[in-house]
PDB file of all heavy atoms in Angstrom:
ATOM      1  N   LEU R  68      85.668 -10.653  -7.712  1.00 98.00           N
ATOM      2  CA  LEU R  68      85.036 -11.710  -6.941  1.00 98.00           C
ATOM      3  C   LEU R  68      84.259 -11.113  -5.761  1.00 98.00           C
ATOM      4  O   LEU R  68      83.131 -11.454  -5.468  1.00 98.00           O
ATOM      5  CB  LEU R  68      86.094 -12.679  -6.355  1.00 98.00           C
ATOM      6  CG  LEU R  68      85.545 -13.871  -5.570  1.00 98.00           C
ATOM      7  CD1 LEU R  68      84.868 -14.882  -6.483  1.00 98.00           C
ATOM      8  CD2 LEU R  68      86.662 -14.582  -4.778  1.00 98.00           C
ATOM      9  N   THR R  69      84.874 -10.233  -5.057  1.00 98.00           N
ATOM     10  CA  THR R  69      84.261  -9.620  -3.906  1.00 98.00           C
ATOM     11  C   THR R  69      84.907  -8.264  -3.519  1.00 98.00           C
ATOM     12  O   THR R  69      86.035  -7.955  -3.932  1.00 98.00           O
ATOM     13  CB  THR R  69      84.407 -10.579  -2.672  1.00 98.00           C
ATOM     14  OG1 THR R  69      83.827  -9.943  -1.510  1.00 98.00           O
ATOM     15  CG2 THR R  69      85.849 -10.964  -2.363  1.00 98.00           C
ATOM     16  N   ASP R  70      84.190  -7.526  -2.738  1.00 98.00           N
ATOM     17  CA  ASP R  70      84.719  -6.257  -2.140  1.00 98.00           C
ATOM     18  C   ASP R  70      85.130  -6.494  -0.703  1.00 98.00           C
ATOM     19  O   ASP R  70      85.290  -5.546   0.070  1.00 98.00           O
ATOM     20  CB  ASP R  70      83.672  -5.165  -2.277  1.00 98.00           C
ATOM     21  CG  ASP R  70      82.438  -5.466  -1.456  1.00 98.00           C
ATOM     22  OD1 ASP R  70      82.173  -6.676  -1.227  1.00 98.00           O
ATOM     23  OD2 ASP R  70      81.686  -4.551  -1.071  1.00 98.00           O
ATOM     24  N   SER R  71      85.241  -7.761  -0.332  1.00 98.00           N
ATOM     25  CA  SER R  71      85.426  -8.091   1.110  1.00 98.00           C
ATOM     26  C   SER R  71      86.904  -8.277   1.388  1.00 98.00           C
ATOM     27  O   SER R  71      87.499  -9.258   0.991  1.00 98.00           O
ATOM     28  CB  SER R  71      84.687  -9.389   1.402  1.00 98.00           C
ATOM     29  OG  SER R  71      84.817  -9.696   2.804  1.00 98.00           O
ATOM     30  N   GLN R 118      86.124 -11.306  11.783  1.00 98.00           N
ATOM     31  CA  GLN R 118      85.382 -10.822  10.634  1.00 98.00           C
ATOM     32  C   GLN R 118      83.919 -10.935  10.934  1.00 98.00           C
ATOM     33  O   GLN R 118      83.499 -11.295  12.041  1.00 98.00           O
ATOM     34  CB  GLN R 118      85.778 -11.581   9.357  1.00 98.00           C
ATOM     35  CG  GLN R 118      85.601 -13.064   9.309  1.00 98.00           C
ATOM     36  CD  GLN R 118      86.096 -13.599   7.951  1.00 98.00           C
ATOM     37  OE1 GLN R 118      87.315 -13.851   7.797  1.00 98.00           O
ATOM     38  NE2 GLN R 118      85.214 -13.784   6.999  1.00 98.00           N
ATOM     39  N   GLY R 119      83.061 -10.600   9.927  1.00 98.00           N
ATOM     40  CA  GLY R 119      81.633 -10.478  10.188  1.00 98.00           C
ATOM     41  C   GLY R 119      80.932 -11.710  10.714  1.00 98.00           C
ATOM     42  O   GLY R 119      80.105 -11.676  11.620  1.00 98.00           O
ATOM     43  N   ARG R 120      81.291 -12.876  10.121  1.00 98.00           N
ATOM     44  CA  ARG R 120      80.547 -14.076  10.436  1.00 98.00           C
ATOM     45  C   ARG R 120      80.794 -14.515  11.875  1.00 98.00           C
ATOM     46  O   ARG R 120      80.025 -15.256  12.421  1.00 98.00           O
ATOM     47  CB  ARG R 120      80.780 -15.208   9.424  1.00 98.00           C
ATOM     48  CG  ARG R 120      82.169 -15.779   9.449  1.00 98.00           C
ATOM     49  CD  ARG R 120      82.443 -16.544   8.147  1.00 98.00           C
ATOM     50  NE  ARG R 120      82.603 -15.594   7.027  1.00 98.00           N
ATOM     51  CZ  ARG R 120      82.851 -16.013   5.765  1.00 98.00           C
ATOM     52  NH1 ARG R 120      82.950 -17.255   5.488  1.00 98.00           N
ATOM     53  NH2 ARG R 120      82.984 -15.097   4.804  1.00 98.00           N
ATOM     54  N   ALA R 121      81.926 -14.094  12.450  1.00 98.00           N
ATOM     55  CA  ALA R 121      82.172 -14.441  13.883  1.00 98.00           C
ATOM     56  C   ALA R 121      81.165 -13.653  14.744  1.00 98.00           C
ATOM     57  O   ALA R 121      80.662 -14.208  15.709  1.00 98.00           O
ATOM     58  CB  ALA R 121      83.615 -14.071  14.265  1.00 98.00           C
ATOM     59  N   GLU R 123      78.231 -12.700  13.635  1.00 98.00           N
ATOM     60  CA  GLU R 123      76.928 -13.346  13.307  1.00 98.00           C
ATOM     61  C   GLU R 123      76.736 -14.643  14.151  1.00 98.00           C
ATOM     62  O   GLU R 123      75.678 -14.890  14.665  1.00 98.00           O
ATOM     63  CB  GLU R 123      76.890 -13.735  11.856  1.00 98.00           C
ATOM     64  CG  GLU R 123      76.751 -12.568  10.906  1.00 98.00           C
ATOM     65  CD  GLU R 123      76.853 -12.968   9.438  1.00 98.00           C
ATOM     66  OE1 GLU R 123      77.307 -14.077   9.142  1.00 98.00           O
ATOM     67  OE2 GLU R 123      76.472 -12.134   8.583  1.00 98.00           O
ATOM     68  N   PHE R 143      71.265 -13.483   3.692  1.00 94.00           N
ATOM     69  CA  PHE R 143      72.662 -13.511   3.244  1.00 94.00           C
ATOM     70  C   PHE R 143      73.210 -14.878   3.704  1.00 94.00           C
ATOM     71  O   PHE R 143      72.831 -15.406   4.713  1.00 94.00           O
ATOM     72  CB  PHE R 143      73.503 -12.386   3.799  1.00 94.00           C
ATOM     73  CG  PHE R 143      74.924 -12.455   3.247  1.00 94.00           C
ATOM     74  CD1 PHE R 143      75.132 -12.194   1.909  1.00 94.00           C
ATOM     75  CD2 PHE R 143      75.952 -12.868   4.042  1.00 94.00           C
ATOM     76  CE1 PHE R 143      76.427 -12.372   1.364  1.00 94.00           C
ATOM     77  CE2 PHE R 143      77.232 -12.997   3.493  1.00 94.00           C
ATOM     78  CZ  PHE R 143      77.442 -12.715   2.156  1.00 94.00           C
ATOM     79  N   THR R 145      76.032 -16.398   4.945  1.00 96.00           N
ATOM     80  CA  THR R 145      76.569 -16.712   6.243  1.00 96.00           C
ATOM     81  C   THR R 145      75.583 -16.335   7.382  1.00 96.00           C
ATOM     82  O   THR R 145      75.505 -17.036   8.412  1.00 96.00           O
ATOM     83  CB  THR R 145      77.891 -15.997   6.522  1.00 96.00           C
ATOM     84  OG1 THR R 145      77.773 -14.594   6.367  1.00 96.00           O
ATOM     85  CG2 THR R 145      78.979 -16.483   5.530  1.00 96.00           C
ATOM     86  N   THR R 146      74.894 -15.218   7.198  1.00 97.00           N
ATOM     87  CA  THR R 146      73.950 -14.756   8.218  1.00 97.00           C
ATOM     88  C   THR R 146      72.885 -15.813   8.453  1.00 97.00           C
ATOM     89  O   THR R 146      72.606 -16.225   9.587  1.00 97.00           O
ATOM     90  CB  THR R 146      73.272 -13.478   7.778  1.00 97.00           C
ATOM     91  OG1 THR R 146      74.219 -12.595   7.196  1.00 97.00           O
ATOM     92  CG2 THR R 146      72.571 -12.748   8.937  1.00 97.00           C
ATOM     93  N   ALA R 201      69.405  -5.961   6.711  1.00 98.00           N
ATOM     94  CA  ALA R 201      70.687  -5.612   6.083  1.00 98.00           C
ATOM     95  C   ALA R 201      70.412  -4.440   5.169  1.00 98.00           C
ATOM     96  O   ALA R 201      69.347  -4.296   4.622  1.00 98.00           O
ATOM     97  CB  ALA R 201      71.257  -6.767   5.311  1.00 98.00           C
ATOM     98  N   ASN R 205      72.713  -7.403  -0.008  1.00 94.00           N
ATOM     99  CA  ASN R 205      73.729  -7.976  -0.893  1.00 94.00           C
ATOM    100  C   ASN R 205      73.071  -8.863  -1.990  1.00 94.00           C
ATOM    101  O   ASN R 205      73.284  -8.678  -3.180  1.00 94.00           O
ATOM    102  CB  ASN R 205      74.677  -8.797  -0.020  1.00 94.00           C
ATOM    103  CG  ASN R 205      75.951  -9.195  -0.699  1.00 94.00           C
ATOM    104  OD1 ASN R 205      76.060  -9.112  -1.949  1.00 94.00           O
ATOM    105  ND2 ASN R 205      76.969  -9.602   0.022  1.00 94.00           N
ATOM    106  N   ASP R 234      72.537  -5.703  10.108  1.00 98.00           N
ATOM    107  CA  ASP R 234      73.800  -6.102   9.447  1.00 98.00           C
ATOM    108  C   ASP R 234      74.301  -4.850   8.741  1.00 98.00           C
ATOM    109  O   ASP R 234      73.883  -4.548   7.586  1.00 98.00           O
ATOM    110  CB  ASP R 234      73.534  -7.231   8.471  1.00 98.00           C
ATOM    111  CG  ASP R 234      74.803  -7.674   7.735  1.00 98.00           C
ATOM    112  OD1 ASP R 234      75.810  -6.935   7.685  1.00 98.00           O
ATOM    113  OD2 ASP R 234      74.840  -8.754   7.151  1.00 98.00           O
ATOM    114  N   THR R 236      77.119  -4.068   7.521  1.00 98.00           N
ATOM    115  CA  THR R 236      78.327  -4.296   6.755  1.00 98.00           C
ATOM    116  C   THR R 236      78.577  -3.240   5.670  1.00 98.00           C
ATOM    117  O   THR R 236      79.714  -2.807   5.480  1.00 98.00           O
ATOM    118  CB  THR R 236      78.269  -5.731   6.140  1.00 98.00           C
ATOM    119  OG1 THR R 236      78.304  -6.625   7.205  1.00 98.00           O
ATOM    120  CG2 THR R 236      79.369  -5.994   5.138  1.00 98.00           C
ATOM    121  N   ARG R 237      77.551  -2.824   4.905  1.00 98.00           N
ATOM    122  CA  ARG R 237      77.727  -1.814   3.908  1.00 98.00           C
ATOM    123  C   ARG R 237      76.755  -0.607   4.151  1.00 98.00           C
ATOM    124  O   ARG R 237      76.175  -0.029   3.198  1.00 98.00           O
ATOM    125  CB  ARG R 237      77.495  -2.382   2.479  1.00 98.00           C
ATOM    126  CG  ARG R 237      78.510  -3.424   2.095  1.00 98.00           C
ATOM    127  CD  ARG R 237      78.289  -3.943   0.678  1.00 98.00           C
ATOM    128  NE  ARG R 237      79.177  -5.034   0.342  1.00 98.00           N
ATOM    129  CZ  ARG R 237      78.980  -6.318   0.657  1.00 98.00           C
ATOM    130  NH1 ARG R 237      77.865  -6.679   1.281  1.00 98.00           N
ATOM    131  NH2 ARG R 237      79.834  -7.223   0.305  1.00 98.00           N
ATOM    132  N   TRP R 272      75.910  -5.930  13.655  1.00 98.00           N
ATOM    133  CA  TRP R 272      77.170  -6.600  13.358  1.00 98.00           C
ATOM    134  C   TRP R 272      77.665  -6.133  12.021  1.00 98.00           C
ATOM    135  O   TRP R 272      76.892  -5.674  11.195  1.00 98.00           O
ATOM    136  CB  TRP R 272      76.987  -8.164  13.368  1.00 98.00           C
ATOM    137  CG  TRP R 272      76.137  -8.697  12.284  1.00 98.00           C
ATOM    138  CD1 TRP R 272      76.500  -8.957  10.998  1.00 98.00           C
ATOM    139  CD2 TRP R 272      74.740  -9.008  12.354  1.00 98.00           C
ATOM    140  NE1 TRP R 272      75.392  -9.462  10.275  1.00 98.00           N
ATOM    141  CE2 TRP R 272      74.334  -9.497  11.086  1.00 98.00           C
ATOM    142  CE3 TRP R 272      73.778  -8.916  13.386  1.00 98.00           C
ATOM    143  CZ2 TRP R 272      72.986  -9.888  10.821  1.00 98.00           C
ATOM    144  CZ3 TRP R 272      72.474  -9.289  13.137  1.00 98.00           C
ATOM    145  CH2 TRP R 272      72.104  -9.774  11.859  1.00 98.00           C
ATOM    146  N   SER R 274      80.822  -6.644   8.980  1.00 98.00           N
ATOM    147  CA  SER R 274      82.036  -7.169   8.401  1.00 98.00           C
ATOM    148  C   SER R 274      82.882  -5.967   8.059  1.00 98.00           C
ATOM    149  O   SER R 274      82.554  -5.271   7.070  1.00 98.00           O
ATOM    150  CB  SER R 274      81.775  -8.002   7.162  1.00 98.00           C
ATOM    151  OG  SER R 274      82.966  -8.219   6.498  1.00 98.00           O
ATOM    152  N   ALA R 275      83.930  -5.630   8.822  1.00 98.00           N
ATOM    153  CA  ALA R 275      84.698  -4.428   8.580  1.00 98.00           C
ATOM    154  C   ALA R 275      85.425  -4.473   7.301  1.00 98.00           C
ATOM    155  O   ALA R 275      86.028  -3.470   6.838  1.00 98.00           O
ATOM    156  CB  ALA R 275      85.633  -4.226   9.753  1.00 98.00           C
ATOM    157  N   LYS R 276      85.470  -5.673   6.660  1.00 98.00           N
ATOM    158  CA  LYS R 276      86.196  -5.852   5.419  1.00 98.00           C
ATOM    159  C   LYS R 276      85.561  -5.096   4.226  1.00 98.00           C
ATOM    160  O   LYS R 276      86.052  -5.127   3.131  1.00 98.00           O
ATOM    161  CB  LYS R 276      86.260  -7.338   5.111  1.00 98.00           C
ATOM    162  CG  LYS R 276      86.960  -8.120   6.189  1.00 98.00           C
ATOM    163  CD  LYS R 276      86.750  -9.649   6.058  1.00 98.00           C
ATOM    164  CE  LYS R 276      87.648 -10.190   4.966  1.00 98.00           C
ATOM    165  NZ  LYS R 276      87.598 -11.661   4.914  1.00 98.00           N
ATOM    166  N   LYS R 277      84.447  -4.445   4.480  1.00 98.00           N
ATOM    167  CA  LYS R 277      83.773  -3.692   3.401  1.00 98.00           C
ATOM    168  C   LYS R 277      83.866  -2.188   3.675  1.00 98.00           C
ATOM    169  O   LYS R 277      84.898  -1.583   3.330  1.00 98.00           O
ATOM    170  CB  LYS R 277      82.293  -4.110   3.299  1.00 98.00           C
ATOM    171  CG  LYS R 277      82.090  -5.489   2.589  1.00 98.00           C
ATOM    172  CD  LYS R 277      82.338  -6.651   3.457  1.00 98.00           C
ATOM    173  CE  LYS R 277      81.798  -7.968   2.897  1.00 98.00           C
ATOM    174  NZ  LYS R 277      82.138  -9.087   3.773  1.00 98.00           N
ATOM    175  N   GLY R 284      88.638  -7.884   9.704  1.00 98.00           N
ATOM    176  CA  GLY R 284      88.025  -7.242  10.910  1.00 98.00           C
ATOM    177  C   GLY R 284      86.526  -7.401  10.932  1.00 98.00           C
ATOM    178  O   GLY R 284      85.879  -7.562   9.929  1.00 98.00           O
ATOM    179  N   MET R 399      81.428 -13.850  -9.189  1.00 97.00           N
ATOM    180  CA  MET R 399      80.923 -15.002  -8.429  1.00 97.00           C
ATOM    181  C   MET R 399      79.495 -15.288  -8.656  1.00 97.00           C
ATOM    182  O   MET R 399      78.709 -14.429  -9.043  1.00 97.00           O
ATOM    183  CB  MET R 399      81.270 -14.884  -6.988  1.00 97.00           C
ATOM    184  CG  MET R 399      80.299 -13.934  -6.216  1.00 97.00           C
ATOM    185  SD  MET R 399      80.126 -14.292  -4.454  1.00 97.00           S
ATOM    186  CE  MET R 399      81.641 -13.600  -3.820  1.00 97.00           C
ATOM    187  N   ARG R 401      75.707 -15.992  -7.737  1.00 96.00           N
ATOM    188  CA  ARG R 401      74.768 -15.670  -6.685  1.00 96.00           C
ATOM    189  C   ARG R 401      73.396 -16.173  -7.163  1.00 96.00           C
ATOM    190  O   ARG R 401      72.589 -15.411  -7.675  1.00 96.00           O
ATOM    191  CB  ARG R 401      74.688 -14.163  -6.339  1.00 96.00           C
ATOM    192  CG  ARG R 401      75.967 -13.611  -5.753  1.00 96.00           C
ATOM    193  CD  ARG R 401      76.064 -13.746  -4.259  1.00 96.00           C
ATOM    194  NE  ARG R 401      76.658 -14.991  -3.777  1.00 96.00           N
ATOM    195  CZ  ARG R 401      77.306 -15.095  -2.597  1.00 96.00           C
ATOM    196  NH1 ARG R 401      77.517 -14.044  -1.839  1.00 96.00           N
ATOM    197  NH2 ARG R 401      77.776 -16.292  -2.193  1.00 96.00           N
ATOM    198  N   ARG R 424      77.715 -11.899  -9.763  1.00 98.00           N
ATOM    199  CA  ARG R 424      78.079 -10.618  -9.128  1.00 98.00           C
ATOM    200  C   ARG R 424      79.494 -10.229  -9.535  1.00 98.00           C
ATOM    201  O   ARG R 424      80.442 -10.975  -9.428  1.00 98.00           O
ATOM    202  CB  ARG R 424      77.983 -10.797  -7.644  1.00 98.00           C
ATOM    203  CG  ARG R 424      78.133  -9.493  -6.888  1.00 98.00           C
ATOM    204  CD  ARG R 424      78.144  -9.696  -5.361  1.00 98.00           C
ATOM    205  NE  ARG R 424      79.406 -10.160  -4.908  1.00 98.00           N
ATOM    206  CZ  ARG R 424      79.719 -10.304  -3.636  1.00 98.00           C
ATOM    207  NH1 ARG R 424      78.808 -10.021  -2.692  1.00 98.00           N
ATOM    208  NH2 ARG R 424      80.904 -10.732  -3.284  1.00 98.00           N
ATOM    209  N   PHE R 469      81.289 -21.906  -1.914  1.00 96.00           N
ATOM    210  CA  PHE R 469      82.729 -21.636  -1.722  1.00 96.00           C
ATOM    211  C   PHE R 469      83.565 -22.797  -2.252  1.00 96.00           C
ATOM    212  O   PHE R 469      84.631 -22.553  -2.814  1.00 96.00           O
ATOM    213  CB  PHE R 469      83.057 -21.495  -0.216  1.00 96.00           C
ATOM    214  CG  PHE R 469      82.625 -20.164   0.395  1.00 96.00           C
ATOM    215  CD1 PHE R 469      81.955 -20.068   1.574  1.00 96.00           C
ATOM    216  CD2 PHE R 469      83.020 -18.964  -0.214  1.00 96.00           C
ATOM    217  CE1 PHE R 469      81.621 -18.897   2.185  1.00 96.00           C
ATOM    218  CE2 PHE R 469      82.735 -17.723   0.333  1.00 96.00           C
ATOM    219  CZ  PHE R 469      82.040 -17.704   1.530  1.00 96.00           C
TER     220      PHE R 469
HETATM  221  N1  LIG K 504      76.898  -9.708   5.963  1.00 57.86           N
HETATM  222  C1  LIG K 504      77.015  -9.288   4.688  1.00 57.86           C
HETATM  223  C2  LIG K 504      75.952  -8.433   4.095  1.00 57.86           C
HETATM  224  C3  LIG K 504      78.113  -9.668   3.909  1.00 57.86           C
HETATM  225  O1  LIG K 504      78.147  -9.243   2.642  1.00 57.86           O
HETATM  226  C4  LIG K 504      79.092 -10.515   4.480  1.00 57.86           C
HETATM  227  C5  LIG K 504      80.242 -10.968   3.682  1.00 57.86           C
HETATM  228  C6  LIG K 504      78.953 -10.901   5.792  1.00 57.86           C
HETATM  229  C7  LIG K 504      77.831 -10.480   6.527  1.00 57.86           C
HETATM  230  C8  LIG K 504      79.960 -11.795   6.492  1.00 57.86           C
HETATM  231  O2  LIG K 504      81.147 -11.134   6.726  1.00 57.86           O
HETATM  232  O3  LIG K 504      82.828 -12.197   5.312  1.00 57.86           O
HETATM  233  O4  LIG K 504      83.533 -10.698   7.158  1.00 57.86           O
HETATM  234  O5  LIG K 504      82.595 -12.965   7.623  1.00 57.86           O
HETATM  235  N2  LIG K 504      80.242 -10.880   2.445  1.00 57.86           N
HETATM  236  C9  LIG K 504      81.346 -11.193   1.542  1.00 57.86           C
HETATM  237  C10 LIG K 504      80.894 -11.015   0.120  1.00 57.86           C
HETATM  238  C11 LIG K 504      81.924 -12.571   1.833  1.00 57.86           C
HETATM  239  O6  LIG K 504      81.675 -11.338  -0.783  1.00 57.86           O
HETATM  240  O7  LIG K 504      79.820 -10.479  -0.081  1.00 57.86           O
HETATM  241  P1  LIG K 504      82.619 -11.793   6.682  1.00 57.86           P
END
Side-chain angles (χ1 to χ4, degrees):
L68 183 73
T69 177
D70 61 336
S71 183
Q118 61 182 84
R120 71 197 69 179
E123 289 174 344
F143 182 69
T145 57
T146 317
N205 194 345
D234 180 342
T236 292
R237 297 184 185 82
W272 65 85
S274 167
K276 301 168 76 174
K277 283 81 165 177
M399 77 156 76
R401 294 275 87 153
R424 190 182 77 173
F469 283 132

